[in-house]
Amino acid sequence: LMPALVLLAAFHARDSRHGRRALAVLLVSAGLAAVFGLGAFAAHGASHAARARGAVGHYMTFAGQLLLLVSAAAGVAVLAREPRWRAGAGAVAALGAAALAVTFTRSAWIGLAVALAVILGAVRPRWLPALAVVIALALVLAPAPYRARALSAFDPRHPVNLERTYMWQAGLRMFRDHPLTGVGLQDMKPVYDRYRPPQAHERAGHLHSVPIQVPASMGLAGLAAFAWLVIGLFRAATRDLAPARRAGGLAAGMRLGVAAALAGFLVAGLFEWNFGDEELLYLLFTLVGLAWAARGWEGHASAGSRAP
């Protein structure tokens, strides 16, 4: 039933006053959560062992939330016309990016880079090489723990990466044995114990990859349903976005940011089971519902209930 949040958010946000208020609350709460996460990180030693967890209790969940909200804020900062929205969203994006950095979550880092590339590619495609240079400089100039963490994402011999590949191999074998419906929606630990290779040490409750987890647990039926869901989310977020993007405005910026957030979320999902995290799905579906409703915001800032 969680995808129904798209409809619920779209219904309530069709009034531009309510929609703008909801977006403002999301951005303010994201800024406060980022500050909380940064403060807790500093208070606990400011190291990899003290990875920022925010108020949700797990660094990967916190990183996924920041990925979604920083992407949405970046879209608003780029396209909104009102100075207060641009400045506020830019501040939230900066705070959120800093908090995301101290989660040490590699998949979310990669997802945010993709989301920013989507935003820049839609607004200023000629600046994409500059974004690549900025990312490269950030990698070179970053403190050693962050640089080592980022580079480890590309090391196939890294112990964590090896365990992930074992999970993916096991998931593919599950799909091969149960191609239509998968092994079922369940805790993967007892199933993984039967399928994992002998050299694997970790007992996995899930397979740390959306494209592996879905067919392994739900087979071709689940894969088709998931593809339908993702296509629907993209269509809801990007419907009539091209002309709105050229005109600019708050609604266009939020819709572009949500589309970029969805793209980054899917890329991050290549390396983690983020579609299995309820706290992230609540936010993702709500943002997509707001993006759908925002099609009627421009020109109706004072019309209120007359917005379609």
Side-chain angles (χ1 to χ4, degrees):
L1 296 176
M2 278 188 283
L5 288 171
V6 176
L7 304 176
L8 188 65
F11 175 79
H12 288 289
R14 72 194 188 283
D15 183 318
S16 63
R17 293 174 302 176
H18 295 167
R20 287 166 176 257
R21 187 180 302 125
L23 178 59
V25 169
L26 278 173
L27 293 180
V28 169
S29 67
L32 293 174
V35 170
F36 178 84
L38 288 167
F41 174 74
H44 289 88
S47 67
H48 181 267
R51 298 168 71 171
R53 300 170 182 267
V56 295
H58 196 282
Y59 48 82
M60 291 190 73
T61 299
F62 188 43
Q65 291 177 332
L66 291 170
L67 163 61
L68 293 172
L69 290 165
V70 169
S71 302
V76 172
V78 167
L79 284 182
R81 289 187 289 266
E82 299 95 328
R84 61 175 183 170
W85 277 105
R86 293 174 71 98
V92 169
L95 280 171
L100 178 56
V102 298
T103 65
F104 287 88
T105 305
R106 301 172 298 174
S107 56
W109 290 354
I110 295 171
L112 181 60
V114 170
L116 294 178
V118 168
I119 293 172
L120 200 58
V123 178
R124 296 286 188 274
R126 288 180 294 181
W127 292 4
L128 283 173
L131 176 63
V133 171
V134 169
I135 293 174
L137 286 175
L139 185 62
V140 171
L141 300 176
Y146 297 92
R147 184 167 59 253
R149 181 66 177 167
L151 293 176
S152 71
F154 307 98
D155 181 4
R157 294 170 295 181
H158 191 278
V160 174
N161 297 345
L162 281 175
E163 288 293 333
R164 298 286 173 87
T165 59
Y166 298 150
M167 296 174 196
W168 300 343
Q169 293 168 13
L172 292 175
R173 287 194 290 271
M174 294 177 199
F175 175 64
R176 182 191 60 196
D177 291 348
H178 306 274
L180 296 181
T181 60
V183 298
L185 295 170
Q186 58 178 302
D187 179 10
M188 281 286 184
K189 285 183 180 178
V191 182
Y192 183 65
D193 286 344
R194 300 198 305 267
Y195 280 91
R196 68 178 182 175
Q199 61 270 34
H201 300 290
E202 185 176 341
R203 293 192 70 206
H206 58 78
L207 302 175
H208 274 286
S209 175
V210 173
I212 301 296
Q213 178 79 23
V214 171
S217 60
M218 292 178 280
L220 290 172
L223 198 59
F226 181 74
W228 188 18
L229 171 65
V230 169
I231 291 170
L233 292 174
F234 267 115
R235 290 183 64 188
T238 61
R239 182 75 175 270
D240 302 324
L241 178 57
R245 173 182 53 80
R246 289 191 291 269
L250 174 63
M254 194 207 66
R255 294 174 62 206
L256 176 60
V258 171
L262 181 54
F265 193 74
L266 288 170
V267 170
L270 296 174
F271 314 105
E272 61 172 288
W273 176 223
N274 54 8
F275 266 89
D277 197 335
E278 294 178 7
E279 293 91 341
L280 299 183
L281 295 185
Y282 297 149
L283 182 57
L284 176 65
F285 292 146
T286 299
L287 285 172
V288 172
L290 287 174
W292 173 266
R295 296 181 308 145
W297 288 1
E298 293 301 325
H300 296 275
S302 62
S305 61
R306 292 200 302 273

